[in-house]
Amino acid sequence: MRAFTNGLLASLSIGAGYLPIAFSFGLFAIQSGLSSTTTLLIAVAVYAGASQFILIPLLLSGAGMLSAIGTVLLMNARHLFYGAALSGRLGRRHAAIPMPLLAFGLTDEVFAAAMSKLDGVAAEQREKWYLGLQLGAYVAWAIGTILGIALGREFGQMPIFLREALAFILPALFFSLLLEMGVFCWIGTIAVTAATTAVLLCFLPSYHALALGMLAGASFKAIGARP
Protein backbone atom coordinates (compact mmCIF):
# COMPACT_ATOMS: atom_id res chain seq x y z
CA MET A 1 0.00 0.00 0.00
CA ARG A 2 2.87 2.35 0.76
CA ALA A 3 4.34 1.83 -2.71
CA PHE A 4 0.97 2.67 -4.27
CA THR A 5 0.71 5.82 -2.12
CA ASN A 6 4.23 6.87 -3.09
CA GLY A 7 3.25 6.43 -6.74
CA LEU A 8 0.25 8.69 -6.21
CA LEU A 9 2.49 11.32 -4.64
CA ALA A 10 4.91 11.05 -7.55
CA SER A 11 2.02 11.76 -9.93
CA LEU A 12 1.30 15.19 -8.43
CA SER A 13 3.61 17.03 -10.82
CA ILE A 14 2.00 15.26 -13.80
CA GLY A 15 -1.50 15.90 -12.47
CA ALA A 16 -0.74 19.59 -12.02
CA GLY A 17 -0.01 19.77 -15.76
CA TYR A 18 -2.86 17.49 -16.80
CA LEU A 19 -5.58 19.50 -15.08
CA PRO A 20 -5.34 22.60 -17.33
CA ILE A 21 -4.70 20.54 -20.48
CA ALA A 22 -7.73 18.36 -19.85
CA PHE A 23 -9.70 21.47 -18.93
CA SER A 24 -8.90 22.98 -22.32
CA PHE A 25 -9.95 19.72 -24.01
CA GLY A 26 -13.30 19.71 -22.24
CA LEU A 27 -13.81 23.36 -23.11
CA PHE A 28 -12.82 22.82 -26.75
CA ALA A 29 -15.04 19.77 -27.15
CA ILE A 30 -18.15 21.44 -25.68
CA GLN A 31 -17.64 24.59 -27.76
CA SER A 32 -17.19 22.40 -30.84
CA GLY A 33 -20.67 20.97 -30.31
CA LEU A 34 -19.97 17.61 -28.67
CA SER A 35 -22.24 16.52 -25.86
CA SER A 36 -21.01 16.33 -22.29
CA THR A 37 -21.36 12.55 -22.32
CA THR A 38 -19.35 12.11 -25.53
CA THR A 39 -16.65 14.49 -24.31
CA LEU A 40 -16.23 12.68 -21.01
CA LEU A 41 -16.30 9.29 -22.73
CA ILE A 42 -13.49 10.34 -25.07
CA ALA A 43 -11.44 11.60 -22.12
CA VAL A 44 -11.75 8.46 -19.98
CA ALA A 45 -11.69 5.86 -22.78
CA VAL A 46 -9.25 7.34 -25.31
CA TYR A 47 -7.07 9.16 -22.75
CA ALA A 48 -4.50 10.14 -25.33
CA GLY A 49 -3.78 13.84 -25.03
CA ALA A 50 -3.18 15.34 -28.45
CA SER A 51 -5.09 12.51 -30.12
CA GLN A 52 -8.24 13.63 -28.35
CA PHE A 53 -7.92 17.12 -29.80
CA ILE A 54 -7.44 15.62 -33.27
CA LEU A 55 -10.39 13.26 -32.80
CA ILE A 56 -12.90 16.09 -32.36
CA PRO A 57 -12.52 17.70 -35.83
CA LEU A 58 -12.38 14.21 -37.35
CA LEU A 59 -15.71 13.32 -35.80
CA LEU A 60 -17.29 16.66 -36.67
CA SER A 61 -16.06 16.54 -40.26
CA GLY A 62 -17.93 13.32 -40.90
CA ALA A 63 -14.84 11.15 -41.16
CA GLY A 64 -15.66 7.48 -40.81
CA MET A 65 -15.08 5.67 -37.56
CA LEU A 66 -12.35 3.51 -39.09
CA SER A 67 -10.55 6.62 -40.31
CA ALA A 68 -10.76 8.29 -36.90
CA ILE A 69 -9.63 5.18 -35.03
CA GLY A 70 -6.78 4.60 -37.48
CA THR A 71 -5.53 8.16 -37.06
CA VAL A 72 -5.57 7.90 -33.27
CA LEU A 73 -3.78 4.55 -33.33
CA LEU A 74 -1.06 5.86 -35.62
CA MET A 75 -0.54 8.92 -33.44
CA ASN A 76 -0.08 6.69 -30.41
CA ALA A 77 2.05 3.98 -32.02
CA ARG A 78 5.05 5.32 -30.05
CA HIS A 79 3.56 3.76 -26.92
CA LEU A 80 4.53 0.34 -28.26
CA PHE A 81 8.15 1.38 -27.81
CA TYR A 82 7.41 2.96 -24.43
CA GLY A 83 5.90 -0.30 -23.23
CA ALA A 84 8.86 -2.35 -24.39
CA ALA A 85 11.30 -0.03 -22.64
CA LEU A 86 9.26 0.11 -19.44
CA SER A 87 8.39 -3.56 -19.06
CA GLY A 88 11.98 -4.45 -18.24
CA ARG A 89 11.96 -1.97 -15.35
CA LEU A 90 8.75 -3.18 -13.71
CA GLY A 91 10.10 -6.42 -12.29
CA ARG A 92 7.54 -8.67 -13.97
CA ARG A 93 8.89 -11.64 -12.01
CA HIS A 94 6.76 -10.23 -9.22
CA ALA A 95 3.80 -9.62 -11.53
CA ALA A 96 0.51 -9.20 -9.69
CA ILE A 97 -1.33 -6.64 -11.83
CA PRO A 98 -2.67 -7.49 -15.33
CA MET A 99 -0.49 -6.01 -18.06
CA PRO A 100 -3.47 -4.39 -19.95
CA LEU A 101 -4.26 -2.37 -16.82
CA LEU A 102 -0.68 -1.15 -16.58
CA ALA A 103 -0.58 -0.41 -20.32
CA PHE A 104 -3.76 1.68 -20.33
CA GLY A 105 -2.31 4.46 -18.20
CA LEU A 106 0.94 4.78 -20.16
CA THR A 107 1.35 8.34 -21.43
CA ASP A 108 4.38 10.40 -22.44
CA GLU A 109 4.60 12.05 -19.04
CA VAL A 110 3.96 8.85 -17.05
CA PHE A 111 6.65 7.10 -19.09
CA ALA A 112 9.16 9.89 -18.46
CA ALA A 113 8.45 9.94 -14.72
CA ALA A 114 8.56 6.14 -14.43
CA MET A 115 11.82 5.77 -16.33
CA SER A 116 13.50 8.38 -14.13
CA LYS A 117 12.24 7.07 -10.77
CA LEU A 118 11.64 3.32 -10.99
CA ASP A 119 15.25 2.46 -10.22
CA GLY A 120 14.71 3.94 -6.76
CA VAL A 121 11.77 1.60 -6.06
CA ALA A 122 12.21 -1.98 -4.84
CA ALA A 123 11.59 -4.48 -7.65
CA GLU A 124 8.69 -6.20 -5.88
CA GLN A 125 6.99 -2.83 -5.29
CA ARG A 126 7.38 -1.32 -8.74
CA GLU A 127 4.07 -2.42 -10.22
CA LYS A 128 2.12 -0.99 -7.29
CA TRP A 129 4.14 2.22 -7.43
CA TYR A 130 3.58 2.52 -11.16
CA LEU A 131 -0.15 1.84 -10.74
CA GLY A 132 -0.36 4.73 -8.27
CA LEU A 133 1.59 6.97 -10.64
CA GLN A 134 -0.69 6.34 -13.61
CA LEU A 135 -3.90 6.40 -11.54
CA GLY A 136 -3.07 9.83 -10.13
CA ALA A 137 -2.43 11.17 -13.63
CA TYR A 138 -5.61 9.57 -14.96
CA VAL A 139 -7.80 11.01 -12.19
CA ALA A 140 -6.34 14.47 -12.77
CA TRP A 141 -7.14 14.16 -16.49
CA ALA A 142 -10.73 13.14 -15.75
CA ILE A 143 -11.23 15.95 -13.23
CA GLY A 144 -9.79 18.54 -15.62
CA THR A 145 -12.12 17.36 -18.37
CA ILE A 146 -15.14 17.53 -16.08
CA LEU A 147 -14.23 21.10 -15.11
CA GLY A 148 -13.87 22.02 -18.79
CA ILE A 149 -17.28 20.52 -19.56
CA ALA A 150 -18.89 22.31 -16.62
CA LEU A 151 -17.51 25.69 -17.63
CA GLY A 152 -17.57 25.16 -21.39
CA ARG A 153 -21.08 26.47 -21.82
CA GLU A 154 -20.29 29.56 -19.76
CA PHE A 155 -17.90 30.91 -22.38
CA GLY A 156 -19.13 32.01 -25.77
CA GLN A 157 -15.51 31.90 -26.84
CA MET A 158 -12.37 31.05 -24.89
CA PRO A 159 -10.77 34.29 -23.59
CA ILE A 160 -7.45 35.11 -25.25
CA PHE A 161 -5.53 35.19 -21.97
CA LEU A 162 -6.83 31.73 -21.08
CA ARG A 163 -6.02 30.28 -24.50
CA GLU A 164 -2.46 31.63 -24.36
CA ALA A 165 -1.94 30.40 -20.81
CA LEU A 166 -3.18 26.90 -21.63
CA ALA A 167 -0.93 26.75 -24.70
CA PHE A 168 2.10 27.09 -22.41
CA ILE A 169 1.08 24.32 -20.01
CA LEU A 170 2.26 21.33 -22.06
CA PRO A 171 5.80 22.65 -22.72
CA ALA A 172 6.01 23.66 -19.06
CA LEU A 173 4.96 20.15 -18.00
CA PHE A 174 7.66 18.49 -20.09
CA PHE A 175 10.25 20.95 -18.81
CA SER A 176 9.31 20.21 -15.20
CA LEU A 177 9.70 16.47 -15.89
CA LEU A 178 13.11 17.17 -17.39
CA LEU A 179 14.10 19.01 -14.23
CA GLU A 180 13.02 16.00 -12.16
CA MET A 181 15.09 13.66 -14.32
CA GLY A 182 18.15 15.91 -13.98
CA VAL A 183 19.04 18.40 -16.73
CA PHE A 184 22.80 18.07 -16.58
CA CYS A 185 22.92 14.36 -17.36
CA TRP A 186 20.93 15.13 -20.53
CA ILE A 187 22.67 18.38 -21.46
CA GLY A 188 24.45 16.89 -24.47
CA THR A 189 21.27 15.37 -25.86
CA ILE A 190 19.38 18.64 -25.33
CA ALA A 191 22.12 20.65 -27.03
CA VAL A 192 22.28 18.35 -30.07
CA THR A 193 18.49 18.30 -30.38
CA ALA A 194 18.20 22.09 -30.10
CA ALA A 195 21.06 22.82 -32.49
CA THR A 196 19.85 20.34 -35.11
CA THR A 197 16.30 21.64 -34.91
CA ALA A 198 17.44 25.27 -35.17
CA VAL A 199 19.46 24.55 -38.31
CA LEU A 200 16.73 22.48 -39.96
CA LEU A 201 14.13 25.19 -39.29
CA CYS A 202 15.89 27.23 -41.99
CA PHE A 203 15.01 24.60 -44.57
CA LEU A 204 12.07 22.50 -43.33
CA PRO A 205 8.63 22.98 -41.75
CA SER A 206 8.75 23.13 -37.96
CA TYR A 207 7.22 19.70 -37.36
CA HIS A 208 9.77 18.02 -39.64
CA ALA A 209 12.64 19.96 -38.12
CA LEU A 210 11.57 19.04 -34.58
CA ALA A 211 11.14 15.35 -35.40
CA LEU A 212 14.57 15.15 -37.05
CA GLY A 213 16.12 17.13 -34.20
CA MET A 214 14.70 14.67 -31.69
CA LEU A 215 16.04 11.78 -33.76
CA ALA A 216 19.48 13.39 -33.82
CA GLY A 217 19.42 13.89 -30.06
CA ALA A 218 18.32 10.31 -29.42
CA SER A 219 21.04 9.01 -31.75
CA PHE A 220 23.65 11.08 -29.95
CA LYS A 221 22.54 9.65 -26.59
CA ALA A 222 22.50 6.09 -27.92
CA ILE A 223 26.02 6.40 -29.36
CA GLY A 224 27.30 7.92 -26.14
CA ALA A 225 25.77 5.08 -24.08
CA ARG A 226 27.70 2.37 -25.93
CA PRO A 227 30.50 0.74 -23.90
Side-chain angles (χ1 to χ4, degrees):
M1 186 64 183
R2 183 171 183 177
F4 177 79
T5 303
N6 288 338
L8 282 176
L9 293 175
S11 73
L12 291 177
S13 59
I14 301 176
Y18 275 10
L19 278 171
I21 299 171
F23 173 83
S24 65
F25 167 74
L27 200 61
F28 174 60
I30 291 299
Q31 293 185 346
S32 296
L34 267 63
S35 68
S36 300
T37 302
T38 300
T39 300
L40 185 59
L41 183 61
I42 291 174
V44 299
V46 178
Y47 183 47
S51 298
Q52 294 181 198
F53 287 89
I54 296 296
L55 187 59
I56 294 175
L58 284 175
L59 293 175
L60 296 178
S61 67
M65 187 59 67
L66 289 178
S67 176
I69 293 175
T71 300
V72 171
L73 289 177
L74 284 174
M75 289 187 65
N76 290 282
R78 65 190 183 279
H79 291 87
L80 295 174
F81 301 98
Y82 289 172
L86 190 58
S87 61
R89 300 280 192 94
L90 286 178
R92 294 297 292 172
R93 289 175 297 175
H94 309 279
I97 301 173
M99 182 61 79
L101 180 60
L102 296 176
F104 178 77
L106 181 59
T107 65
D108 297 325
E109 296 78 17
V110 168
F111 173 75
M115 291 296 285
S116 66
K117 297 179 179 179
L118 270 176
D119 287 340
V121 181
E124 66 276 10
Q125 299 294 327
R126 288 180 182 178
E127 282 193 352
K128 295 178 182 178
W129 181 90
Y130 176 73
L131 184 64
L133 177 73
Q134 65 173 18
L135 181 62
Y138 182 71
V139 170
W141 187 266
I143 292 174
T145 303
I146 292 171
L147 291 174
I149 292 171
L151 297 177
R153 302 190 184 283
E154 301 297 324
F155 295 110
Q157 185 176 4
M158 189 183 300
I160 295 177
F161 77 89
L162 181 60
R163 184 175 66 247
E164 296 300 323
L166 292 174
F168 179 71
I169 292 297
L170 189 57
L173 173 59
F174 276 105
F175 185 70
S176 68
L177 291 173
L178 182 61
L179 290 177
E180 288 187 8
M181 295 172 66
V183 174
F184 292 106
C185 65
W186 294 91
I187 193 67
T189 303
I190 296 171
V192 170
T193 301
T196 303
T197 302
V199 171
L200 291 177
L201 280 172
C202 300
F203 310 99
L204 298 173
S206 58
Y207 46 88
H208 287 155
L210 181 58
L212 291 173
M214 292 169 63
L215 181 61
S219 300
F220 172 83
K221 182 66 175 179
I223 293 172
R226 290 180 179 178

